[in-house]
Amino acid sequence: MLHIVLHEPEMPANTGNIGRTCVACGAVLHLIEPLGFKLNEKMIKRAGLDYWEHLDVRTYVNFEDFLEKNHHPKIYMATTKSRQTYADVTYGGADEDVYLMFGKESAGIPEEILLDYKETAVRIPMLPEIRSLNLSNSVAIVAYEVLRQQGFDHFQREGQLHRYEW
């Protein structure tokens, strides 16, 4: 199972978009407080559309609470400070839980947390002039790499036209 972990997210629209991505991926969304918004805000539900009611979302008072309640999982830390890219890593198989953690929009994951995750820290390559990508875009990029590596197991892989034939 895929788990998306947001450490102190600040923008409700990003979290709503990420919630929608989690529903599409069958992922659990973990939110580590403090949050920069309330979970019942309209912006979250608007961004998540009618998918929010189908989301498995869990909250934690801090990072230590998250670790304890999830039995100290192996976590891949998405950060611009990593030396390896998200595509350089082999994530767990389809039967393994994969945790992807992303930091808050204004500052990322605190460096004191990253120090313990050097081997599982990953970055999305980008031009040097760019500080970072939008949080919800970053989540989608890395999450779908995990799913790609797992062969998109249990996912609809083909679409069809409604009024025409291919």
Side-chain angles (χ1 to χ4, degrees):
M1 174 167 284
L2 183 59
H3 298 263
I4 303 299
V5 183
L6 302 182
H7 187 269
E8 301 179 5
E10 299 166 316
M11 298 181 182
N14 278 336
T15 301
N17 289 331
I18 292 164
R20 183 175 178 175
T21 298
C22 287
V23 173
C25 295
V28 176
L29 178 60
H30 302 265
L31 302 174
I32 299 174
E33 297 176 346
L35 309 179
F37 50 85
K38 292 187 180 358
L39 284 176
N40 61 0
E41 279 190 31
K42 286 183 182 179
M43 288 289 289
I44 289 182
K45 303 222 174 170
R46 184 178 306 145
L49 295 176
D50 54 344
Y51 299 98
W52 193 260
E53 65 189 52
H54 304 289
L55 177 64
D56 183 351
V57 61
R58 304 169 190 181
T59 59
Y60 307 88
V61 297
N62 55 36
F63 185 61
E64 291 73 26
D65 183 39
F66 164 77
L67 290 176
E68 286 177 23
K69 289 181 177 168
N70 290 282
H71 310 289
H72 297 271
K74 181 177 184 179
I75 308 168
Y76 297 91
M77 299 281 179
T79 174
T80 59
K81 297 166 179 76
S82 178
R83 294 183 176 174
Q84 63 184 345
T85 75
Y86 73 97
D88 295 332
V89 173
T90 300
Y91 301 91
D95 297 337
E96 296 179 51
D97 284 342
V98 175
Y99 288 79
L100 303 174
M101 186 163 136
F102 300 81
K104 63 183 169 183
E105 291 89 341
S106 64
I109 300 170
E111 289 186 0
E112 58 270 16
I113 292 175
L114 289 175
L115 286 173
D116 292 331
Y117 294 89
K118 179 180 178 183
E119 300 302 317
T120 58
V122 297
R123 70 174 282 116
I124 299 169
M126 62 192 89
L127 294 173
E129 303 84 36
I130 303 299
R131 186 171 31 93
S132 65
L133 291 171
N134 173 274
L135 179 60
S136 61
N137 292 336
S138 297
V139 169
I141 289 168
V142 182
Y144 271 86
E145 172 61 15
V146 172
L147 298 173
R148 184 195 68 77
Q149 287 186 18
Q150 295 175 348
F152 296 111
D153 195 31
H154 306 299
F155 284 79
Q156 179 180 343
R157 296 178 57 104
E158 295 180 7
Q160 63 184 32
L161 299 174
H162 294 287
R163 296 177 31 212
Y164 303 95
E165 290 190 37
W166 284 110

